[in-house]
């Protein structure tokens, strides 16, 4: 699927993919610079104040993202290639450690917004210095060890994850502000195209699931293994705002029988009546986008909904969510079109004419909640050492999402990719693809 | 497995099993009386004050259990067989509704301990009246509909679940009291027998999992379906206190690398240093049992631990927990011995000599945490109507436990039975069986 | 004032007043028995379940009150008169210690409702045993030391405070129960009598305030000292339900300008729209009384309101609350009529014809919020030792109430008596007397 | 007292005092500019990031202070002098309203740190525009109404209060940062001078208390009225760090008998073991100052302590805190020396040689907790309209502090000035002056 990935947009940074063959240092350097530069590009629209604030415990200030992704290279890559490496600033080891107990104590996550210093300028400087160190090594070292190359690759994928978080965290931050600031004047998505939902059928059988190790993947995508899927069907495209509005108007948020017990409690205690960022004004549904407030467009995929809402919608629609292996089986056949962060829409796009065959938008646009809890694949072994804390220790009380979104870098996603969030999470670009049992 | 179930004890109530063939009303009546009488028998050691108190939001007062299980028959069975049935007390419909939104509003769960009235005597009276109604119908009606019989069966299994909860809730209540009251002078478990842990191996392959519908089961055990299990191995018996003590002494509760992230947070915020009900006195580990405080015995299965602790222990032991389908595959071959509530020990027993072949104690003694999140089987359909809320709406943020415990009625358990609790839960008799990948 | 105290009712227990002259042991014994017997009498209407439950952290189970008041004599009196006294049950020292750090650790207050044991019967037995010990000493000892007699007196006044709390805590408990149980069929208060509110004027000047030590008082009423009161006026009777209803209907609960900032926050976060225990049914205001639910009667003094509500009402009425010294100055002239717990109404009474001169109901009926924060009188010295914790350590964030209520024993109250509660408290029989500056 | 106020420092902004005679507009303009310029001067050491963050719900971001003080003039002054005044930005009316319900709804206080916009630059621009408007009016209007002049005066005093808060809020913010940033390199306080504590005696009698209205005061300082003070004595200077250390070393924080009940709860739940900002390093007490971390100096007045700590210290020292009227009576005789914000120390100074007669440091250096709850003076009437919300609605659960601090502008303080904070507050420069009853 990756090989024929098509570009929707011209302004895509050409980021050489991590392709599994251990790359030459010079290729790595190009890729390193390209990924790092993209983080900077995402900050272009910001004023200094935007970098500083943490709008909720789950989010982080932009400057923290910029520092933490740099910390990752400084902590894991530089010491692996330079035994004499000395820290840029010893206190950063503590301040920008997210959750790696093996590295040491961590500055408390909910207090990331209390750090007026280091300043944004100091963090840019930190990035520059670490970039120089990394570039110096990649320039000079013709024989990067396989382990070091893997860490570098991991660091770049890690930074790409934070690129997505930078956008979703900023969106949340702006949504708290009655002045309704916009991140950017986003690209216009063009005329929309209404298109009926179909279901594609798959027979039962044993399938291979997971990543085969021929290129970069996170450890949680491995090992490749077999699962038995009973026959199922899966929707041809994500659920749209129009369809979700019918659920709202049918009193979906008022009917406990549609909801998981914990979901119904969320509805009541949090007062949910619509997706996050929606607001009814003068009888019309408006929403916050990264381009500022605007009307809800009927043909766009619904997004910013929790697992609970996705599950309740599916029950209302007499369907269900796919398991993550059903999703992965189906994705292997799918067209590889979708909208990613480089396209600059910063919002999921309506289906285009011509996308009406096969499964559309499996990659990009919206993350798709599956009904699978995030857990270890059979035979899963986390990476040794501190980096083993990257994914494995979160395998509890989280649901798997698949496929990436309009805020995901294109070179970051693949069909085996497992994203995960607690079921009440709404600030990601998360949406719905329906599934069902065999008729 | 059920057919050769062996009795450890003489004082077992003989409760005719629900055997799938739709029973004659007279058999149902015998079974009804037997189950109901067992709830009463469990209350024998109590004083009036014990019935009233709710020691934590997750627990309920004994009198609430007695009323709610009665409410279940009054709400679901009696109207199904008597169109003119009139409620015993209309306010009970609200007071003793646990969580059935389709039945109506519910008195708030965390306030169940605020109800000084109805008194215990009034609730015994309520039970008597409903028992008379049910008996009247079963005596007189030679043609109980299949649906009505199923509701009755569900009501009896429901009451058996609450029998277990009555014991675990009372244990928790007594543990809050510095006077350390005992529930009963429990039977002595006899001399113990240390026995090395072995692992049995299973090859990979497709297996049928779930209940076949030939007898009673909960809806969440169906439909029977296929799963692919990669090769695995599973422990011959539950982990003992002795083994768990080694984990404690090896600083298991102080090493974050052994824990899931959410588990480590529980350790820190709740100050866990040992299983629930353990306390170190003068250098010796003591524990609360239903017979009062006593020493921790090395050969008993460890119990009252959370999923987080089970998972951390397994990681420390270089093993893992089984998936629920691995557990079920293995259980199909297992000896059917174990200790249940009727045995009157109210605590898991050490392995006996002679139990050293095959997999011991798969049923009874301790519930065994699996690494599987509680979720719907492929093709799962909840029962129609209010009873569909019984199981299906909890399929989120809970982990599956298998096999029953020393507080489970013997006729209540089976190898396809899926119990579930949030991963931080400790007040059930929950323990550990280890598993591993194929060598 | 005490000397001419008039009895409204015939069923008053005749409790000899603590009269300052150090009493003979035989008089003390009569008084001891009388006070202790009154606690028992208040329990007559209860069923066992009523004794056990704690309905909120501020309240205590009845059986806790019965045990704690006994503990007080056992802890402070018996060791003072019998150097060899041995504790009835050493664990009670901990369980029934309310807040005396000098005595030792305390079982946590919010968990008083978790104690199924000691049972009610065991606590009655505890009371009996301690009563025997006390009676034995008072019978035999012709020379009780002055200090011991003072402790006994304090213990009796302490028990009288808990008699009031038993009633208010039970009322709160019953109010949590949808079955709306009643404490008792209370006496009927007779025909009511509407009576206009007047204001009595007092010139400015220096006044002596506080207790002169000639009879029993709490330490917080001393030393007697001088205050300067600017000229003021004070209302002739408490504010009635009718008057308070006008405030409600004038949107008193919706207008922030009438409220203290902290009061307005209480209104909003707690959803106050009327006094505690009021509920609108079919357009009519109903209330919970200790005789069960009934209509709100217009001429009764309003009660179960917080300081915040009293203050807001006064502002709405273009008046203010009195300071505690204004109240005490005025009370010195007042008629000593009022309704107390022995009268058996368990609710404040409307003004009677004939009470229309001078200041009515200064004692009894409802506690009257003053605008004075509870603080030390100049020269205040708490009692030495553990009993110094009785009053002094609460001198922060509490407001003074004066005059006693329909739940206060008649022999317990006096014009210098200072009750105190946090300003959001509503479960006491607390009401309003208005005051104002000189015209 | 004000007339002989001595300057310790040369860099004092000369701010013409508000002197009660209704000033000419040109004098008002000079004073307006001077106060406004001082807010700007306090921001000189800041980087942009420092302006944005709210470190706790009680604190506000610097930029919020700058905007809110400007909003005050825009909301209350400009419409009073220009009926056609149009708001600079209508959304600011909501964003920068602190607590004035009569003005309209308020952006939630705990979320002031979520506002990335308006930017700091936009807020400076807002200030500039409002300053132009005000200056335009004061320049051109020879006949400012008395009411308008009073509002302007109030606005300037309001801004001075926020100047103090800017410093204390920044200090708290910096204290959350492991990098320990400093506000400024503060002036060095010079050699210190140890000086024994004396007590001055005052006989009992009636005193006039409160402000006489001849110059600016807040409404809560009025009306002037009489109080009777029993004979008392008061300490000659604030308690020093050295003295407070003796309390710590005598286990003051471990002995419940020294504390109010609510204070002891604070000690335990908040883990207090020393004043805020103190930290023991290698056996030595260090503290955060606005100049960064440094050693605790023995002769400086102790500061950053709560009312609870002040009260416990006084009890330990066999003394008590003064009432606010005792304090005010004593202050009328006191030397008017002290250190204020203009001196640029930003920390209370040790006593200087020569200050050893009479009562030293009654004004400046540290706010002094009194044992008086903040309540209305007899005859108190809040200002009419929205400005009546300034002080009156906080008269509950707060304690009065007197005298100003090293962060208070010199022209802002006077002996009748009543500051108030909840008793657990520690982030202000709050300290202790002891008092006692007559010997």
């Amino acid at each position: 699927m990756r090989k024929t990935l098509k570009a929707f947009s011209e302004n895509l940074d050409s980021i050489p993919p991590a392709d599994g063959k251990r790359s030459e240092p010079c290729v790595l350097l190009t890729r390193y610079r390209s990924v790092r530069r993209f983080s900077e590009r995402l900050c272009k629209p910001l004023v200094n104040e935007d970098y500083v604030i943490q709008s909720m415990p789950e989010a982080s200030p932009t400057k923290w993202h910029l520092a933490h992704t740099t910390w990752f290279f400084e902590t894991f890559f530089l010491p692996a290639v330079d035994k004499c490496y000395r820290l840029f600033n010893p206190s950063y080891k503590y301040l920008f450690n997210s959750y790696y107990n093996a590295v040491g104590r961590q500055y408390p996550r909910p207090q990331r917004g209390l750090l007026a210093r280091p300043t944004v300028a100091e963090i840019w400087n930190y990035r520059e210095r670490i970039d120089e160190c990394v570039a110096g090594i990649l320039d000079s070292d013709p024989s990067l060890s396989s382990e070091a190359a893997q860490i570098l690759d991991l660091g770049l994928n890690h930074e790409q994850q934070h690129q997505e978080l930078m956008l979703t965290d900023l969106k949340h931050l702006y949504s708290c502000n009655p002045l309704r600031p916009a991140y950017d004047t986003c690209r216009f998505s063009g005329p929309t195209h209404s298109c009926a939902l179909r279901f594609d059928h798959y027979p039962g059988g044993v399938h291979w699931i997971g990543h085969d190790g021929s290129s970069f993947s996170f450890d949680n995508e491995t090992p490749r293994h077999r699962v038995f899927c009973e026959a199922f069907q899966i929707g041809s495209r994500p659920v749209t705002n129009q369809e979700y509005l019918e659920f709202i108007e049918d009193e979906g948020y008022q009917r406990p029988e549609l909801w998981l017990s914990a979901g119904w409690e969320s509805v009541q205690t949090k007062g949910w009546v619509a997706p996050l960022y929606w607001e009814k004004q003068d009888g019309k549904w408006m929403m916050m986008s990264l381009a500022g407030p605007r009307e809800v467009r009927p043909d766009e995929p619904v997004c910013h909904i929790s697992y609970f809402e996705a599950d309740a919608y599916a029950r209302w629609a007499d369907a269900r969510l796919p398991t993550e292996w059903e999703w992965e089986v189906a994705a292997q056949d799918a067209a590889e079109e979708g909208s990613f962060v480089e396209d600059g829409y910063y919002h999921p796009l309506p289906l285009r004419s011509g996308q009406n065959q096969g499964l559309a938008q499996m990659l990009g646009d919206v993350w798709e909640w599956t009904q699978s809890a995030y857990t270890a694949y059979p035979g899963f072994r986390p990476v040794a050492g501190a980096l083993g804390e990257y994914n494995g220790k979160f395998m509890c009380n989280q649901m798997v999402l698949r496929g990436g979104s309009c805020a995901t870098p294109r070179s970051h996603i693949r069909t085996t990719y497992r994203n995960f969030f607690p079921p009440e999470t709404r600030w990601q670009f998360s949406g719905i693809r329906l599934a069902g049992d065999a008729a």
Side-chain angles (χ1 to χ4, degrees), chain A residues 150-402:
Chain A
Q150 279 173 42
I151 293 173
L152 196 76
D153 230 358
L154 183 61
L156 293 172
N157 277 276
H158 173 256
E159 180 135 3
Q160 289 183 311
Q161 291 184 313
H162 282 274
Q163 288 164 357
E164 179 150 10
L165 290 172
M166 280 162 58
L167 285 175
T168 53
D169 290 359
L170 282 165
K171 186 169 183 176
H172 187 267
L173 171 61
Y174 294 149
S175 80
C176 300
N177 195 325
L179 299 175
R180 297 277 178 258
Y183 168 70
D184 207 356
T185 51
C186 304
R187 295 180 63 203
F188 178 60
S189 60
T192 76
H193 176 73
S194 181
C195 162
L197 178 64
R198 287 174 297 96
F199 280 86
D200 281 8
H201 290 253
Y202 288 77
V206 171
H207 296 271
W208 283 95
I209 291 294
H211 197 273
D212 65 7
S214 65
S215 57
F216 174 82
S217 81
F218 289 111
D219 55 3
N220 62 10
E221 302 168 52
T222 65
R224 195 157 167 82
H225 65 285
R226 285 159 291 181
V227 298
F228 190 96
C229 286
E230 298 284 355
F232 69 97
Q233 41 183 330
I234 193 163
S236 59
R237 56 158 176 77
V239 169
T240 63
N241 286 332
Q242 175 59 47
E243 288 161 345
Y244 198 81
L245 269 165
E246 289 165 26
F247 167 74
I248 296 176
E249 283 159 15
D250 197 29
E251 307 201 311
Y253 282 93
Q254 284 80 48
R255 292 162 55 188
E257 70 270 21
L258 298 173
W259 296 79
L260 288 171
S261 180
W264 184 240
E265 201 183 316
S266 283
V267 167
Q268 296 191 293
T269 58
K270 303 178 192 199
W272 290 348
V273 297
L276 182 63
Y277 302 137
W278 286 32
E279 214 172 357
K280 207 164 200 169
Q281 286 174 7
D282 308 323
K284 194 185 294 178
W285 281 108
M286 303 293 290
M287 57 171 237
M288 274 282 298
S289 79
L290 277 163
R294 65 166 170 83
E295 270 186 65
V296 168
R297 295 181 190 147
D299 291 333
E300 286 172 352
V302 67
C303 64
H304 296 303
I305 58 166
S306 63
Y307 175 77
F308 292 134
E309 288 160 299
D311 169 82
Y313 176 85
R315 193 167 293 112
W316 172 82
D318 205 20
R320 61 171 173 83
L321 301 178
T323 62
E324 64 166 321
W325 37 92
E326 288 169 347
W327 191 97
E328 188 169 329
V329 165
Q332 288 161 8
D333 301 332
E336 293 163 8
E337 297 162 334
S339 175
F340 300 93
V341 65
E342 298 89 346
D343 298 341
Y345 294 112
Y346 308 132
H347 206 79
L349 295 184
L351 211 61
R352 301 171 171 236
S353 63
Q355 287 184 307
N356 207 356
Q357 269 118 18
L359 301 179
Q361 295 178 302
M362 291 291 278
L363 297 193
D365 293 296
V366 285
W367 287 103
E368 300 176 6
W369 286 107
T370 72
Q371 67 164 246
S372 300
Y374 176 54
T375 188
Y377 281 172
F380 169 65
R381 286 270 172 276
V383 177
L387 287 170
E389 298 185 56
Y390 198 106
N391 281 308
K393 72 182 183 183
F394 301 106
M395 289 174 168
C396 189
N397 288 3
Q398 316 232 25
M399 302 304 289
V400 172
L401 303 102
R402 292 293 196 114

